[in-house]
Amino acid sequence: MNLVKLCRQSRAPGLPALLAGALALATTLAGGPAAAAPQDTLHELAAAQGRYFGSATDNPELSDAAYTARLGSEFGQLTPGNSMKWDTTEPARGRFDFAKGDVITDFARQHGQTVRGHTLVWHSQLPGWVGSLPPAQVETAMTDHITAEATHYRGAVTAWDVVNEPFNEDGTFRTSPFYTALGSDYIASALRAAHAADPDARLYLNDYNIEGLGAKSDAMYALVRDLLDEGVPLDGVGMQAHLAVQYGFPYEMRANMQRFADLGLDVAVTELDVRMQLPADAAKLATQSSYYRQVTEACLAVERCVGITVWDYTDKYSWVPSTFPGEGAANLYDDGLLPKPAYTAVRTALGDEDDGGENGGDPGALKVRYRSGDSSPGDNQIKPGLQLVNTGTTPVSLPDVTVRYWFTGDNGASTYGTWCDWSPLGCATVTHRVAALGSPAAGADHYLEVGFGSGSLAPGASTGEIQLRLSKTDWSDFDESDDYSHTTGTSYADAPKIGVYVGGEPVWGIEP
Ligand code: G3I
């Protein structure tokens, strides 16, 4: 069989969401380019794809002229990091103060930017008087607060994080004065009050660690489905995306976004940053770049993902170092306001055609070599040995790469255990899992997916041998002889029936 290097598929731009669509339309009407020009800003690149690209900001930073110059030019949307929170806007019951928030909306108006309101109801940065209220007064205090703030910002705020961070990590509801007084009904009540105050604003629930599939995003999914069933006004789900290179990329982010979109909701990436243990180094920055890029690609792949907001654009004003001592370097620009590799990675993902190869050149220049480490194809384990080789001329960021080895599970359990037995990269860097194929094919109803938590592969370099192993959880036998990716070769050879993907797109191998 001939070796086939699959072409990278072109990405069809999704239908623009309302706001972003208006931006794209404005570009077209102004005679602007359909494709992004090299000098375009992040927001212009995003707008050409029907999305916005925004940044959080905060009042103290607005006296930094170099900072505001970039804030006003590169980004099309702002989120106030603190100045619309309850402790600022209603520090005492009935005493409202919108001065700081107004500074942000004024800045945005002057720079043609939209504003995401953050946030009306949250357990944190809540003035003490709310927690001291008798439970019977909590709902009125909450709806009064929402009514006053959302009314004040009518026309200036296009979307609200109405309720922020309602869930614990295990998907149970987080305790707060609102939950204690009203149970989870406080969420519907808050959304209704926000809609009544500003019927034109897009209303969101927002949380962190809901970017990937998991217990917490399942809980958000169940909540929003119920709210929609009840006819509660809700337009979208905000995924904060406070990521860290040491914790890996969220599991199946694109699929997770899509399931919310399939309910008829918008999705927004609302607080993106990618922190790391300091000091930063080239490998960590490469991993960070790949995370920023993967988030951007996930958003572009989901039609209802309306845009991305970074949680401030520079390390200079990041919340991370004070909250996670020893960590930082989380943003697109460094402390000196110079763009980092992640900035270029985002530009490339947004379709910039002029990154000059700085961001890794042709990411498709990879191949995989394979040997069977298994002399007993009828026993209860499959033992592929793999080597990933960079055949190109530029480095490849390993966290972008996944490899698929296709096999049949035969009879017995359909759940699996997987292991990395040895790798010169260190098995801690190698991720592995078994996934079922949506449509089984000859010789393949499952695949072993191998990935990498960090690192990059230099031009011409190989990962060296990665010894993998899998079994069914009932330890029943396989018949590997008909498995799609299996060969009996015990020396390494190019493996056209094993797939290599970069950013989820096939770059090597023939799928079954
Ligand atoms: O304003 C006071 C100042 O007067 C005082 O001198 C100083 C001393 O610590 O504190 C200042 O308040 C700080 C405030 O930011 C304004 O700068 C608080 O201590 C500090 O805790 C607060 O941190 C904010 C954090 O939310 C609070 O949870 C961050 O700036 C803000 O970026 C962060 O944003 C949150 C989102 O709202 C929700 N998602 C997570 C995200 C990151 O934590």
Side-chain angles (χ1 to χ4, degrees):
M1 184 176 293
N2 290 331
L3 187 87
V4 176
K5 180 177 169 185
L6 295 172
C7 295
R8 304 191 81 200
Q9 292 159 349
S10 62
R11 194 171 35 228
L15 277 179
L18 198 59
L19 165 67
L23 289 165
L25 182 62
T27 306
T28 309
L29 291 175
Q39 71 278 13
D40 284 344
T41 65
L42 287 176
H43 178 66
E44 287 165 340
L45 290 167
Q49 306 254 21
R51 273 74 173 180
Y52 61 79
F53 203 98
S55 175
T57 190
D58 209 355
N59 298 68
E61 302 146 33
L62 298 179
S63 57
D64 177 340
Y67 168 85
T68 54
R70 178 71 62 186
L71 183 73
S73 61
E74 189 80 36
F75 303 94
Q77 177 272 334
L78 299 183
T79 303
N82 286 296
S83 42
M84 291 186 185
K85 291 173 178 172
W86 197 320
D87 59 353
T88 300
T89 55
E90 194 186 3
R93 189 168 189 181
R95 180 162 70 75
F96 292 96
D97 182 351
F98 299 116
K100 286 185 174 170
D102 291 353
V103 172
I104 309 284
T105 53
D106 287 348
F107 183 98
R109 194 178 309 110
Q110 287 157 17
H111 295 85
Q113 296 161 314
T114 59
V115 175
R116 182 179 190 89
H118 176 81
T119 173
L120 294 170
V121 180
W122 189 27
H123 67 277
S124 179
Q125 287 173 287
L126 193 60
W129 66 264
V130 180
S132 306
L133 289 173
Q137 293 185 31
V138 169
E139 184 165 25
T140 304
M142 179 185 78
T143 54
D144 285 352
H145 176 78
I146 293 168
T147 302
E149 183 158 2
T151 301
H152 177 82
Y153 285 115
R154 269 181 85 153
V157 160
T158 52
W160 273 107
D161 291 329
V162 177
V163 176
N164 194 37
E165 301 175 4
F167 289 111
N168 295 312
E169 291 307 285
D170 64 358
T172 56
F173 282 101
R174 186 195 287 275
T175 301
S176 68
F178 314 106
Y179 184 73
T180 302
L182 303 163
S184 60
D185 289 347
Y186 84 89
I187 296 169
S189 175
L191 287 162
R192 289 192 173 104
H195 181 66
D198 185 354
D200 295 328
R202 307 287 288 170
L203 304 184
Y204 280 70
L205 304 182
N206 192 50
D207 214 325
Y208 61 89
N209 286 349
I210 60 161
E211 297 78 25
L213 296 173
K216 197 170 178 181
S217 62
D218 285 351
M220 181 64 94
Y221 183 82
L223 170 66
V224 300
R225 196 188 47 203
D226 289 350
L227 291 169
L228 292 173
D229 283 350
E230 291 161 22
V232 176
L234 173 68
D235 300 295
V237 171
M239 300 179 175
Q240 294 185 6
H242 291 293
L243 309 182
V245 299
Q246 64 271 27
Y247 298 137
F249 191 78
Y251 176 61
E252 298 281 5
M253 183 168 188
R254 181 201 294 197
N256 186 44
M257 283 180 159
Q258 188 62 54
R259 67 172 170 162
F260 287 100
D262 289 344
L263 292 175
L265 292 171
D266 286 346
V267 178
V269 177
T270 53
E271 305 185 15
L272 176 61
D273 52 19
V274 184
R275 63 185 187 272
M276 62 187 67
Q277 306 275 1
L278 298 174
D281 62 26
K284 291 177 201 168
L285 290 170
T287 304
Q288 177 183 62
S289 298
S290 112
Y291 285 16
Y292 270 102
R293 174 173 162 168
Q294 289 180 70
V295 169
T296 307
E297 289 176 345
C299 182
L300 291 178
V302 175
E303 201 172 295
R304 296 294 296 263
C305 181
V306 296
I308 297 173
T309 308
V310 290
W311 205 241
D312 227 316
Y313 73 84
T314 161
D315 296 339
K316 187 174 183 181
Y317 297 122
S318 171
W319 67 290
V320 169
S322 60
T323 305
F324 298 98
E327 297 184 39
N331 303 70
L332 292 177
Y333 290 70
D334 69 13
D335 281 323
L337 304 186
L338 292 173
K340 292 157 62 177
Y343 171 80
T344 309
V346 170
R347 291 189 68 87
T348 304
L350 289 172
D352 186 17
E353 288 158 4
D354 188 40
D355 81 347
E358 305 151 53
N359 189 45
D362 176 9
L366 289 167
K367 69 174 181 179
V368 68
R369 293 165 64 75
Y370 158 81
R371 73 166 185 183
S372 172
D374 195 344
S375 52
S376 317
D379 70 3
N380 59 15
Q381 298 189 70
I382 298 179
K383 300 174 182 170
L386 303 177
Q387 298 175 338
L388 184 70
V389 182
N390 182 353
T391 55
T393 53
T394 50
V396 171
S397 171
L398 282 173
D400 280 354
V401 180
T402 50
V403 179
R404 290 185 180 183
Y405 176 95
W406 288 282
F407 66 95
T408 48
D410 304 308
N411 298 320
S414 56
T415 48
Y416 293 83
T418 60
W419 297 268
C420 169
D421 286 331
W422 188 80
S423 160
L425 299 172
C427 274
T429 305
V430 179
T431 63
H432 37 85
R433 67 181 183 110
V434 165
L437 231 60
S439 314
D445 50 27
H446 287 79
Y447 56 88
L448 170 66
E449 185 176 73
V450 181
F452 305 90
S454 62
S456 68
L457 199 57
S462 165
T463 55
E465 180 173 26
I466 305 168
Q467 292 179 6
L468 297 143
R469 192 159 50 87
L470 70 95
S471 74
K472 285 173 271 187
T473 48
D474 65 358
W475 292 92
S476 57
D477 287 342
F478 293 99
D479 174 8
E480 290 184 64
S481 59
D482 63 349
D483 284 357
Y484 182 78
S485 294
H486 176 75
T487 73
T488 52
T490 51
S491 309
Y492 274 99
D494 289 354
K497 293 169 93 174
I498 297 177
V500 181
Y501 299 78
V502 174
E505 294 179 10
V507 298
W508 167 271
I510 305 159
E511 294 179 335

